[in-house]
Amino acid sequence: MRQWFALCLALLFTTSAAARGYAIQHLEPANWWVGMQHDRVELLVHGPGIAALQPRVDWPGVAVADVARVENANYLFVTLAIAADAKPGRFPIDFMEGERIAVRHDWALEAREAGSAQRHGFDASDAIYLVTPDRFANADPGNDSAPGMQEHGNRADPNGRHGGDITGLRQHLDYIAGLGFTQIWPTPLLENNQPAYSYHGYAITDLYRTDPRFGSNEDYRALSREARAHGLGLIMDVVLNHVGSQHWWLRDPPTRDWFNHPYFDRADRFVETNHRRTTVQDPHAAPADKALFTDGWFVKAMPDLNQRNPHLARYLIQNTLWWIEYAGLSGIREDTFGYADADFLSAWGAAVLAEYPDFAMVGEEWSANPAIVAHWQRGKVNPDGHVPHMPSMMDFPLHIALRTALLQPEGGDYGWVGLYEMLANDFLYPDPDRLVVFAENHDTPRALAHFNGDIALWKLAIAWIATVRGTPQFYYGSEVLLQGPRERNDGELRADMPGGWAGDARDAFTGTGLTDAQRDAQDYVRALFNWRKRTPVVQHGKLQHFAPENGVYVYFRYDGKDTVMVALNRNPEATPLALDRLGDFIGKDSRARDALTGKAVTLGTALSLPGTSATILEIE
C-alpha cells in the first residue's frame, strides 16, 4: 500500500511539473568525484522557468551550499559542497516548488581512479603526434553522418567531413607508438554541430559531449585507456576563448554578458578581434585596442566568451577538470590562449595545477616574438603583474625561425644565424626546456610544401625538432610525405592519411603502395624518434650551440655522462667541419657512433658532412 501511495505521489509531482512547463534541459556537469581539491561544484541548470524552484539534495556528504539566480529565469547555478568522506553513488537532486518536487534529476558522485591526482603529464622525454581526427582513419563509416548533426560526411569536399573517427585512432595506436611517439594530440573531438566546416573541431557546440561523428564519450575514454596500454598519453585540445555559433547558449544565454559583443545585442554586428597580441603587455597600447584583441570574435562562426563572468569562469574551469578526470588525460593543449581574459587564464591554470600538480599543459600564442610568448609561461615575473600558471607554450618563435632559416640564402644574418639567435632568446623564458617545438601543425602549410618539396630540407627540420631542447611535436602524415599546398589552405593541408579509408591505393600503416621516397621518409622518422625515446641526454641534457659557419650549424646535448653532437649542413655539397673548434666536447681520442645507424664514425681533425643533411653522433 505504501509503495502504491509513493507511486501515485510521484505521478502527481510529474504531472504538476509538466503542467507548469518545468523541465531540465541541461544540467552540467552531470557528475563529479569524491576526493577532489575542487570540492564545491557549481552546476549550471537550464530549463524553462527553473529559477522559480529551490534545489534539494539528500545524500551523505553532499549539501547545497549556494543557489544563484541570474537575469534569465531559465537558469539556476547550484553549488554542491562535497565532503571528503562523501559516499559515491547515484542520487536525485530535487527541484522544489514549495513543498512539492517539481522536477527530479539524477546526479552521480564517483570514486576517483587510484593515483589520479598524481598523474604525470608530458615533458621533454616525450614526443607528440598531432592528428586531425577527421582526416586520419575512418574505421566506422556508419557514423560519417549522425542524427541531429547538420553537416554530413562528404569526402569529396576538402573542407567537409571525411569520416575519420575515434575508432580509427584506436586501431592505429600501435602504428603511432611504433614511430617512436609517446603522446597523441587530436584536435578537438567535442561536438561541433555547425552547418559547415565542422570537421576541425574548434567551434564547439557542447562542451561535455564527444561529437557523435567521432564516437561517444565512452569511446573517448577507451581511446585514452588503450593509448596508455601502448605507452601513449592523450592530450586534449581545449578551447576557452570561444564556442561555435550553434551552441545552445546562443539561443538562450544565461546573461547579457555571457558573450563579448553578442549577436543578440545587434544581429547585424560582427566585431572581429584585431589579433594585436602585443597589446596585452604593451605599456603604450590604447585600452580600446587591448579590449578588441581579447573581446573581439575570432571568426563569425566562433562567438567570443566573456570569462570575466564568474559563473562562466567556474563552468570552464570545471569543464577542464571534468575531462582530465573522466578521460584520464596526460595533458592539455589550450587553443588561442592569449585571446582569453588574462586574469581568468591565471585562475584556470592555477585550478588545474592545484588538482593535478604534475600535470602538463601547453598554450598557443602564435607570435614570432619570444617576449610575447614568455609572458604566459609559469614562473615569469611580468611588469604588468600578471601571474601565469601555464607550464609550457608552443614555441612559435623557433617554429617561424626554423622555416625562415631553411629558405634563406646562407650568410651574414641570414640562414642558420636567424635560428641560432632565436634560440639564444631562451633567457626570456622561465623554463625553455618545457616548450613544445615543431616544424608544422594543423594551421600551417606542411613543412614539405613550405620547402617546395625538398625532402632533404624537410629532414633537416625534423632532425632539429627531435634534437633541440623542449618537447617535439610532429604532424600526422608527414612521415609519408603528405605535402599539400604551399599557401595555407586548411582543408588541403589537413589531407587524408593514406590507408585510413577502405580502398586507398596507398597505406601508410602497412606500407602497401608507398613510393621509395615515402618509405625512406617513414623509416627516417621511425629511426629518429625511437632513438630519441631511448636517449635521455637528448631529452633532458643541456644544450650548447656554436655560431653557424659556412652553412653548418653545430650543437651538443650533454649531461656529464653522455654527449650527442648534431651538425646540420645546409650546403647541397659535402662540407668539411673542422673539429678543433669543438674541443670542449671532442678530444683527439674521442670516438663517435652514428646515432641512427650505429656505425662507427672516424673523427680525426675534420668531419665530412654529406650535403643537405643532419649528422647526429653519439660521442664516446
Side-chain angles (χ1 to χ4, degrees):
M1 183 69 177
R2 185 176 298 172
Q3 290 177 335
W4 179 86
F5 178 76
L7 177 60
C8 289
L9 194 61
L11 289 172
L12 175 63
F13 291 158
T14 303
T15 303
S16 174
R20 289 169 174 77
Y22 295 131
I24 292 178
Q25 296 171 341
H26 304 92
L27 193 153
E28 299 172 335
N31 69 281
W32 205 249
W33 292 267
V34 178
M36 298 278 280
Q37 291 289 322
H38 190 93
D39 57 6
R40 292 174 67 90
V41 182
E42 184 175 83
L43 308 181
L44 181 152
V45 186
H46 175 236
I50 201 73
L53 305 180
Q54 183 67 27
R56 184 183 70 182
V57 170
D58 182 12
W59 188 256
V62 180
V64 175
D66 187 57
V67 180
R69 293 170 174 83
V70 292
E71 59 201 82
N72 187 337
N74 295 335
Y75 285 86
L76 272 177
F77 291 90
V78 180
T79 300
L80 299 182
I82 302 169
D85 60 352
K87 176 185 174 184
R90 193 164 191 85
F91 56 90
I93 302 175
D94 293 332
F95 293 84
M96 309 299 295
E97 185 181 44
E99 296 300 316
R100 302 195 304 175
I101 301 173
V103 182
R104 171 168 280 184
H105 192 93
D106 280 352
W107 200 72
L109 194 56
E110 300 183 8
R112 298 183 79 179
E113 186 176 317
S116 177
Q118 292 76 39
R119 71 185 65 220
H120 179 76
F122 66 83
D123 59 23
S125 63
D126 289 293
I128 301 168
Y129 192 77
L130 165 60
V131 176
T132 301
D134 181 68
R135 307 301 170 86
F136 187 67
N138 185 2
D140 182 7
N143 66 13
D144 291 2
S145 302
M149 296 294 104
Q150 297 182 70
E151 187 176 14
H152 296 168
N154 181 6
R155 195 182 180 196
D157 180 2
N159 295 309
R161 298 193 75 96
H162 291 191
D165 47 41
I166 292 175
T167 303
L169 277 169
R170 291 166 64 184
Q171 288 183 353
H172 298 297
L173 294 171
D174 55 345
Y175 170 80
I176 297 170
L179 288 174
F181 297 100
T182 60
Q183 300 283 332
I184 308 171
W185 158 23
T187 54
L189 288 159
L190 301 188
E191 181 193 277
N192 271 234
N193 195 9
Q194 297 286 114
Y197 301 102
S198 67
Y199 75 92
H200 56 68
Y202 290 98
I204 297 171
T205 55
D206 190 328
L207 286 155
Y208 280 98
R209 185 193 187 200
T210 300
D211 195 295
R213 291 161 294 190
F214 290 137
S216 65
N217 281 10
E218 184 50 47
D219 290 330
Y220 199 146
R221 186 150 55 175
L223 170 64
S224 178
R225 183 171 57 248
E226 292 170 15
R228 285 198 299 272
H230 284 81
L232 297 163
L234 180 63
I235 299 170
M236 186 177 196
D237 206 330
V238 168
V239 186
L240 300 172
N241 179 65
H242 53 263
V243 291
S245 58
Q246 299 299 304
H247 194 290
W248 56 269
W249 282 337
L250 272 294
R251 296 189 293 275
D252 191 20
T255 62
R256 281 189 292 270
D257 69 346
W258 202 255
F259 295 98
N260 293 312
H261 305 291
Y263 272 165
F264 45 82
D265 276 356
R266 285 182 54 184
D268 63 336
R269 184 180 184 187
F270 166 57
V271 180
E272 185 176 8
T273 176
N274 56 17
H275 299 287
R276 298 278 70 86
R277 47 186 46 84
T278 56
T279 59
V280 173
Q281 303 174 61
D282 182 0
H284 313 294
D289 289 338
K290 183 175 181 177
L292 186 57
F293 170 60
T294 58
D295 295 357
W297 290 24
F298 203 71
V299 296
K300 240 180 181 180
M302 297 176 181
D304 198 74
L305 294 171
N306 175 23
Q307 301 90 6
R308 294 178 294 273
N309 181 296
H311 296 297
L312 176 58
R314 279 191 288 272
Y315 181 98
L316 294 172
I317 289 170
Q318 290 178 171
N319 181 256
T320 298
L321 298 176
W322 189 91
W323 278 109
I324 296 171
E325 194 73 20
Y326 174 83
L329 302 177
S330 69
I332 282 172
R333 179 265 186 183
E334 208 291 311
D335 179 68
T336 54
F337 188 72
Y339 287 80
D341 178 74
D343 289 341
F344 164 75
L345 291 174
S346 183
W348 172 82
V352 173
L353 294 178
E355 198 70 61
Y356 309 99
D358 203 20
F359 194 61
M361 299 184 287
V362 58
E364 179 199 32
E365 176 56 278
W366 196 333
S367 174
N369 185 343
I372 300 300
V373 178
H375 172 84
W376 300 108
Q377 191 182 24
R378 179 176 59 181
K380 183 69 172 179
V381 178
N382 289 303
D384 64 359
H386 174 70
V387 179
H389 292 278
M390 179 60 76
S392 176
M393 296 295 294
M394 301 299 301
D395 198 339
F396 275 94
L398 272 189
H399 157 78
I400 294 167
L402 172 65
R403 289 165 69 105
T404 301
L406 287 173
L407 285 184
Q408 285 181 336
E410 200 65 35
D413 291 333
Y414 296 99
W416 285 131
V417 170
L419 185 61
Y420 166 81
E421 293 190 344
M422 185 58 73
L423 185 61
N425 285 311
D426 272 5
F427 68 87
L428 292 168
Y429 296 104
D431 192 355
D433 290 342
R434 290 298 299 266
L435 300 178
V436 173
V437 292
F438 58 104
E440 60 191 355
N441 67 15
H442 58 297
D443 287 327
T444 70
R446 289 183 180 263
L448 186 59
H450 181 77
F451 301 136
N452 298 303
D454 190 323
I455 297 175
L457 288 180
W458 173 81
K459 284 185 175 180
L460 279 177
I462 302 307
W464 161 263
I465 68 165
T467 55
V468 76
R469 59 91 180 114
T471 305
Q473 170 252 292
F474 187 90
Y475 194 35
Y476 82 98
S478 286
E479 70 271 22
V480 289
L481 304 180
L482 287 187
Q483 183 167 334
R486 193 167 191 275
E487 300 301 321
R488 180 174 173 179
N489 183 315
D490 289 349
E492 293 181 10
L493 73 91
R494 303 163 183 168
D496 293 347
M497 183 72 161
W501 279 254
D504 284 357
R506 294 179 178 173
D507 191 330
F509 305 117
T510 66
T512 301
L514 296 184
T515 66
D516 290 344
Q518 287 176 309
R519 290 177 185 275
D520 176 71
Q522 194 178 51
D523 288 344
Y524 184 74
V525 169
R526 184 181 292 112
L528 182 62
F529 283 95
N530 274 295
W531 166 76
R532 186 186 190 280
K533 185 177 179 179
R534 62 178 182 266
T535 309
V537 67
V538 182
Q539 303 164 12
H540 301 293
K542 296 180 181 179
L543 187 150
Q544 186 176 126
H545 60 173
F546 290 77
E549 289 184 351
N550 304 319
V552 176
Y553 183 14
V554 178
Y555 53 94
F556 289 82
R557 303 300 305 275
Y558 62 102
D559 60 7
K561 176 185 175 185
D562 299 310
T563 302
V564 167
M565 183 183 87
V566 182
L568 306 177
N569 180 19
R570 279 269 328 264
N571 304 305
E573 66 280 348
T575 302
L577 173 66
L579 300 181
D580 56 345
R581 184 179 176 223
L582 314 177
D584 288 346
F585 296 97
I586 299 177
K588 63 179 182 178
D589 297 324
S590 295
R591 295 178 297 171
R593 192 168 297 278
D594 187 287
L596 303 189
T597 67
K599 293 180 180 178
V601 175
T602 301
L603 294 175
T605 59
L607 184 66
S608 180
L609 305 176
T612 319
S613 69
T615 298
I616 306 174
L617 302 179
E618 296 177 338
I619 307 300
E620 299 175 351

